[in-house]
Amino acid sequence: MSYISTRGQAPALAFDDVLLAGLARDGGLYVPAAWPRLTPDDLRRFRGLSYAELAVEVMLPFLGGTIGRDDFARLVTDAYGSFAHQAVVPLVQLDARTWMMELFHGPTLAFKDVALQLLGRLFDHVLAARDSRVTIVGATSGDTGSAAIEACRDRDRVDIVILHPRGRTSEVQRRQMTSVLSSNVHNVALEGTFDDCQDAVKAMFNDAAYRDALNLSAVNSINWARIMAQIVYYVAAAVALGAPDREVAFAVPTGNFGNVYAAYAARQMGVPVAKLIVGTNENDILARFFASGEMKADGVVPTLSPSMDIQVSSNFERLLFDLMDRDGAAVATCMAGFRETGRFEVSQGQLARVRDLFAGHRCDTAGTLAVMQDAYARSGYLVDPHSAVGVAAAHAAGLDPSVPVIVMGTAHPAKFPDAVEKATGLRPPLPRHLADLYDRPERMDILANDIQILKEYVRARSRVARINA
Ligand SMILES: Cc1ncc(COP(=O)(O)O)c(C=O)c1O
Ligand SMILES: N[C@@H](CCOP(=O)(O)O)C(=O)O
């Protein structure tokens, strides 16, 4: 198994190198050179497995022998042992044909834990084997940051710097990051949006001398290993609801397009997926794209679902690569144009192809609150505002009623108590391990959106940079 860049110019890498590389050296994103296949018999065999057992089966082919089965099984079992629910990602039925897959039972209460609890362990394993260290730099709109910090805190071979947009996360999200006082953890509140944070991270990776001097690594979904670990729960959900003998659909609240891309990857591997429904909030660039074929960035507006306040969705490039028949040069030209003008367009043929599988739906604040109110009124079920966008998308999709729709429950309602209280009158308490979150001291640095300042900040906190100096 080797990995190639969506822009066609970077060297192909094996899994362990991709794990540490983050962004490809040509600015592209790594994808598998070929998709491993899951046969109908594989899917039937998966029916009796625990989540950790299934995770090993699904992910092993992606490793291409770079990590042995026993070592990998140990890392996976350990990672999912940190989840508060025995099923790891339980499925809850919402109505006759709609399910919610609760992905938020990990330590930081969002779906990011599913991948990042494993990634932290993979980093340790690979770095120990190489006797090496990395500097991780990441961008967050709220959830990746805390999940990555939790996964990397106190790890001797890692320094981690996380940029979040100042004042644009929920208070719980911010505190989950800034109250971790470990010496290898550094939080930056950037004067800007999530897109600015992500741009800064990519600019650091695109400076070859800088990335080499710091051994930069990534925890965002630009890192292929994030996507790999997220594929597993789509396989689990489909198998639980009848795959390979029944098709399913997924409704995915979307921002950076990593989660729904993992669903696409599961389908490429052989999971019978009838539709992928992309839910967006008022930052609806993706919903507009699936309607028109034009990708056109506007300014980011703050919403009730702040983790999805994103306009430039990194992982869309991975889908575009397939849509352009894996022509890296064409993707590079398209991305350069997008960077310059803030827009690109696909052909009518490409739009038709993409719409065979994908649909987009925009849900505004009123719609989000209505879903949360309705779920609570009907069954006492509390839905966070991001997952609510997914539920709205599922209901709007108008699919054949025989196809079960699985909504990705991406965050615990207690992460967004203000929104939940506004919708239901109830303020969900934090689980016990976070009960004193509001009393914990915080540490962060407020920085201007200036790439030189940010680069110097990260360099000064990188032990690798000090060793290499
Ligand atoms: C709670 C929550 N829901 C949905 C999303 C969107 O997921 P993705 O960026 O993978 O599209 C995010 C952030 O990524 C999130 O934190
Ligand atoms: N919503 C995310 C944004 C970053 O997405 P990622 O999947 O690329 O890490 C967040 O919570 O930070």
Side-chain angles (χ1 to χ4, degrees):
M1 167 65 67
S2 73
Y3 291 85
I4 54 174
S5 165
T6 50
R7 299 198 190 171
Q9 294 298 311
L13 298 181
F15 175 79
D16 50 352
D17 289 321
V18 159
L19 170 76
L20 300 181
L23 206 61
R25 281 182 184 268
D26 57 4
L29 303 179
Y30 277 108
V31 292
W35 295 107
R37 293 294 299 170
L38 295 173
T39 65
D41 281 347
D42 289 331
L43 295 173
R44 285 192 193 95
R45 183 168 54 83
F46 290 168
R47 281 178 184 158
L49 301 186
S50 69
Y51 189 78
E53 288 166 342
L54 175 69
V56 172
E57 295 298 324
V58 172
M59 289 190 276
L60 207 59
F62 287 111
L63 307 185
T66 55
I67 302 176
R69 186 186 182 98
D70 290 350
D71 281 341
F72 187 59
R74 187 175 41 74
L75 298 175
V76 167
T77 306
D78 198 37
Y80 297 127
S82 70
F83 278 58
H85 199 289
Q86 262 205 326
V88 182
V89 289
L91 269 174
V92 174
Q93 188 158 14
L94 299 183
D95 61 41
R97 53 92 55 99
T98 316
W99 278 257
M100 171 86 78
M101 185 165 235
E102 294 185 343
L103 301 171
F104 48 73
H105 294 285
T108 70
L109 314 182
F111 77 102
K112 310 290 181 167
D113 288 322
V114 180
L116 283 162
Q117 278 298 305
L118 179 61
L119 245 70
R121 288 162 172 87
L122 284 171
F123 274 124
D124 247 11
H125 182 83
V126 171
L127 291 172
R130 297 178 177 200
D131 190 18
S132 179
R133 291 172 186 282
V134 289
T135 311
I136 289 176
V137 60
T140 189
S141 52
D143 291 323
T144 295
S146 53
I149 286 170
E150 188 58 36
C152 294
R153 63 190 294 173
D154 302 317
R155 291 195 190 271
D156 192 38
R157 295 179 180 278
V158 171
D159 293 304
I160 179 165
V161 181
I162 295 292
L163 317 181
H164 73 266
R166 186 182 182 202
R168 289 175 182 249
T169 68
S170 81
E171 185 174 358
V172 173
Q173 288 177 310
R174 187 196 73 237
R175 285 180 173 276
Q176 282 182 300
M177 296 187 276
T178 58
S179 63
V180 177
L181 305 180
S182 306
S183 62
N184 71 330
V185 171
H186 308 279
N187 278 288
V188 173
L190 186 92
E191 302 285 13
T193 64
F194 168 78
D195 286 348
D196 296 324
C197 298
Q198 183 154 258
D199 266 0
V201 168
K202 287 191 171 175
M204 291 182 212
F205 274 97
N206 283 329
D207 177 340
Y210 182 83
R211 80 186 271 173
D212 289 343
L214 276 67
N215 271 1
L216 277 192
S217 285
V219 279
N220 282 107
S221 52
I222 56 176
N223 188 327
W224 167 259
R226 277 276 314 276
I227 304 294
M228 173 187 81
Q230 292 178 216
I231 293 171
V232 177
Y233 49 73
Y234 289 101
V235 180
V239 165
L241 293 182
D245 304 310
R246 179 159 79 151
E247 285 195 311
V248 297
F250 293 104
V252 188
T254 297
N256 225 5
F257 208 75
N259 205 9
V260 74
Y261 180 79
Y264 166 81
R267 183 176 186 268
Q268 295 306 94
M269 293 169 71
V271 174
V273 177
K275 207 78 187 172
L276 295 176
I277 312 153
V278 172
T280 74
N281 62 24
E282 285 92 334
N283 298 291
D284 60 352
I285 182 169
L286 290 166
R288 286 185 280 114
F289 172 81
F290 289 116
S292 69
E294 182 190 39
M295 189 72 87
K296 188 165 180 291
D298 278 337
V300 179
V301 295
T303 71
L304 271 192
S305 42
S307 303
M308 287 156 46
D309 292 347
I310 297 174
Q311 284 282 334
V312 180
S313 306
S314 248
N315 289 283
F316 193 82
E317 180 167 340
R318 287 185 162 119
L319 180 66
L320 199 61
F321 184 56
D322 279 1
L323 203 56
M324 295 184 157
D325 301 319
R326 300 205 146 202
D327 177 347
V331 172
T333 305
C334 182
M335 287 293 119
F338 187 50
R339 195 158 186 84
E340 189 120 314
T341 64
R343 78 173 286 284
F344 71 81
E345 207 170 350
V346 298
S347 70
Q348 285 307 306
Q350 288 167 328
L351 180 61
R353 265 168 65 201
V354 90
R355 282 169 58 153
D356 265 353
L357 178 61
F358 287 89
H361 179 71
R362 171 190 199 266
C363 177
D364 63 12
T365 301
T368 306
L369 289 170
V371 167
M372 295 163 79
Q373 271 155 8
D374 180 60
Y376 184 59
R378 284 206 289 144
S379 59
Y381 190 67
L382 292 179
V383 181
D384 99 280
H386 304 77
S387 312
V389 168
V391 174
H395 289 160
L399 297 182
D400 174 343
S402 67
V403 177
V405 184
I406 303 143
V407 179
M408 290 295 131
T410 51
H412 192 292
K415 280 195 110 159
F416 304 95
D418 295 342
V420 174
E421 188 172 24
K422 193 167 179 187
T424 66
L426 207 86
R427 206 170 170 82
L430 284 164
R432 215 168 34 196
H433 70 284
L434 290 168
D436 65 344
L437 185 67
Y438 286 87
D439 302 324
R440 296 179 191 171
E442 295 185 74
R443 191 183 72 207
M444 66 178 166
D445 293 293
I446 299 167
L447 295 186
N449 180 20
D450 176 318
I451 189 63
Q452 291 315 325
I453 293 175
L454 294 166
K455 275 179 164 175
E456 275 320 305
Y457 179 93
V458 177
R459 189 195 293 277
R461 279 148 191 85
S462 162
R463 278 174 291 172
V464 177
R466 283 202 286 282
I467 292 164
N468 285 347

